[in-house]
């Protein structure tokens, strides 16, 4: 219930929201939402690592930082390798294999942030004593979902999407293979018989390579929560999915009531164009 109260203007003042963002371009979009929530009277705390990308903040909300064990150069190198792989013109399945290997590396690099967060006893104590009502998080590296489960708080996802179709799998959306194209296939929603076979084979591989992406996250989350967890365990209890893309640009598919298409892209603030 607190989730809907937090998102509706004028219904509540002074509710406490914990924000667990992802750095870089993801934060550029989330920051505007965080500022608006603060303007509406909510007490917002943003927890960020001491080393990150483009995590500029304002006085509109409280910022809590925690120490990390990596350098900015290490972060840059992992990302440059990831981007370079996507720019290579490789046929399927070589493109999928190359992207998988670079993605596993960058995911492990970023998930170190989460381990560092839970290693900071001071930060955990502060968050535990703050009495938050909900968590707003970009879930791509699972830390916000793990933290919300750890504190038994309801949480909202603010995101562009997951690999492996997880942003439809976790909310339990029907996803018919006959017309819902999978990533890396380059198929449309009008497929030949052989393209549908290819689509089905890729869907069977999705959970395998996504478990590779999130192997460290799953293992660490299981240790933190003291129970065996899966990817879907961490994701399917999200109260609301704020999907930062436009439904009209996607292939037609069923969605669930708690999935909200809010539009928008990763963008920095610029001066308006002249008339």
């Amino acid at each position: 219930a607190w989730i809907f109260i937090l998102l509706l203007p004028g219904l509540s003042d002074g509710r406490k929201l914990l924000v667990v963002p992802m750095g870089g371009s993801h934060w550029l979009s989330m920051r505007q939402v965080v500022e608006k929530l603060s303007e509406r009277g909510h007490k917002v705390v943003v927890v960020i690592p001491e080393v990150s990308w483009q995590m500029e903040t304002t006085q509109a909300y409280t910022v809590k930082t925690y120490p990390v064990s990596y350098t900015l150069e290490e972060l840059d190198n992992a990302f440059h390798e990831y981007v370079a792989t996507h720019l290579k013109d490789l046929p399927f399945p070589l493109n999928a294999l190359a992207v998988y290997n670079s993605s596993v590396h960058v995911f492990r690099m970023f998930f170190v942030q989460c381990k560092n967060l839970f290693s900071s006893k001071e930060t955990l104590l502060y968050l535990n004593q703050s009495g938050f009502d909900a968590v707003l998080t970009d879930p791509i590296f699972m830390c916000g979902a793990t933290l919300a489960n750890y504190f038994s708080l309801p949480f909202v996802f603010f995101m562009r999407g997951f690999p492996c179709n997880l942003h439809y799998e976790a909310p339990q959306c029907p996803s018919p293979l006959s017309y819902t194209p999978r990533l890396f296939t380059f198929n449309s929603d009008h497929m030949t018989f052989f393209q549908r076979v290819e689509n089905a084979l890729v869907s069977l591989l999705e959970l395998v390579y996504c478990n590779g992406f999130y192997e460290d996250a799953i293992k660490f989350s299981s240790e933190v929560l003291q129970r065996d967890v899966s990817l879907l365990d961490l994701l399917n209890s999200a109260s609301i999915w704020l999907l930062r893309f436009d439904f009209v640009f996607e292939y037609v598919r069923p969605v669930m009531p708690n999935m909200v298409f809010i539009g928008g892209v990763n963008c920095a603030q610029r001066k308006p164009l002249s008339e």
Side-chain angles (χ1 to χ4, degrees), residues 10-261:
L11 293 186
S12 173
D13 291 326
R15 296 299 173 188
K16 300 195 72 173
L17 181 67
L18 173 61
V19 178
V20 186
M22 176 185 169
S25 57
H26 291 241
W27 171 240
L28 296 177
S29 299
M30 179 181 276
R31 184 176 61 186
Q32 300 177 54
V33 176
V34 172
E35 290 173 353
K36 287 295 182 182
L37 287 169
S38 182
E39 289 176 8
R40 292 180 180 182
H42 302 299
K43 297 178 182 179
V44 180
V45 175
V46 181
V47 58
I48 61 175
E50 290 180 348
V51 178
S52 59
W53 288 322
Q54 300 185 29
M55 293 293 290
E56 293 84 1
T57 57
T58 69
Q59 299 298 319
Y61 44 82
T62 301
V63 177
K64 181 66 176 177
T65 61
Y66 59 92
V68 292
S69 59
Y70 57 84
T71 65
L72 183 60
E73 182 180 7
E74 290 174 324
L75 202 61
D76 287 341
N77 290 339
F79 183 71
H80 289 323
E81 177 188 337
Y82 176 78
V83 172
T85 302
H86 281 74
L87 296 178
K88 295 177 181 178
D89 186 16
L90 297 173
F92 181 83
L94 294 180
N95 64 326
L97 182 60
V99 170
Y100 171 79
N101 289 331
S102 65
S103 297
V104 167
H105 177 61
V106 77
F107 270 60
R108 287 176 177 171
M109 182 70 214
F110 272 99
F111 197 71
V112 170
Q113 295 178 358
C114 197
K115 294 180 178 179
N116 293 153
L117 172 58
F118 277 91
S119 296
S120 176
K121 302 301 181 184
E122 176 192 350
T123 304
L124 285 183
L125 180 62
Y126 169 82
L127 298 179
N128 189 41
Q129 294 177 344
S130 296
F132 294 107
D133 296 298
V135 175
L136 174 67
T137 182
D138 187 316
I140 188 66
F141 295 118
M142 301 292 180
C143 195
T146 301
L147 197 63
N149 278 278
Y150 180 75
F151 288 125
S152 299
L153 292 172
F155 54 103
V156 175
F157 284 158
F158 179 92
M159 61 187 301
R160 175 61 182 88
F162 272 119
C164 317
N165 210 47
L166 281 173
H167 52 294
Y168 289 109
E169 182 74 17
Q172 302 180 44
C173 293
S175 189
L177 294 176
S178 58
Y179 69 86
T180 306
R182 259 33 188 193
L183 189 65
F184 300 128
T185 64
F186 306 110
N187 293 331
S188 72
D189 57 347
H190 292 78
M191 290 176 272
T192 66
F193 172 75
F194 291 106
Q195 286 175 328
R196 291 180 181 182
V197 172
E198 177 190 47
N199 207 46
L201 293 175
V202 170
S203 72
L204 294 175
L205 292 173
E206 283 178 340
L207 188 56
V208 176
Y209 68 73
C210 237
N211 281 334
F213 291 165
Y214 291 109
E215 181 180 3
D216 284 6
I218 295 170
K219 182 179 179 180
F220 182 73
S221 298
S222 297
E223 294 174 358
V224 167
L225 302 177
Q226 298 184 349
R227 59 183 173 87
D228 291 334
V229 299
S230 66
L231 281 175
L232 297 183
D233 290 332
L234 291 174
L235 302 177
N236 60 17
S237 55
S239 298
I240 298 176
W241 295 66
L242 298 178
L243 299 174
R244 195 167 35 79
F245 52 92
D246 199 320
F247 182 75
V248 300
F249 292 116
E250 303 297 312
Y251 291 116
V252 178
R253 62 188 304 161
V255 296
M256 302 304 284
N258 64 337
M259 299 172 70
V260 183
F261 291 86

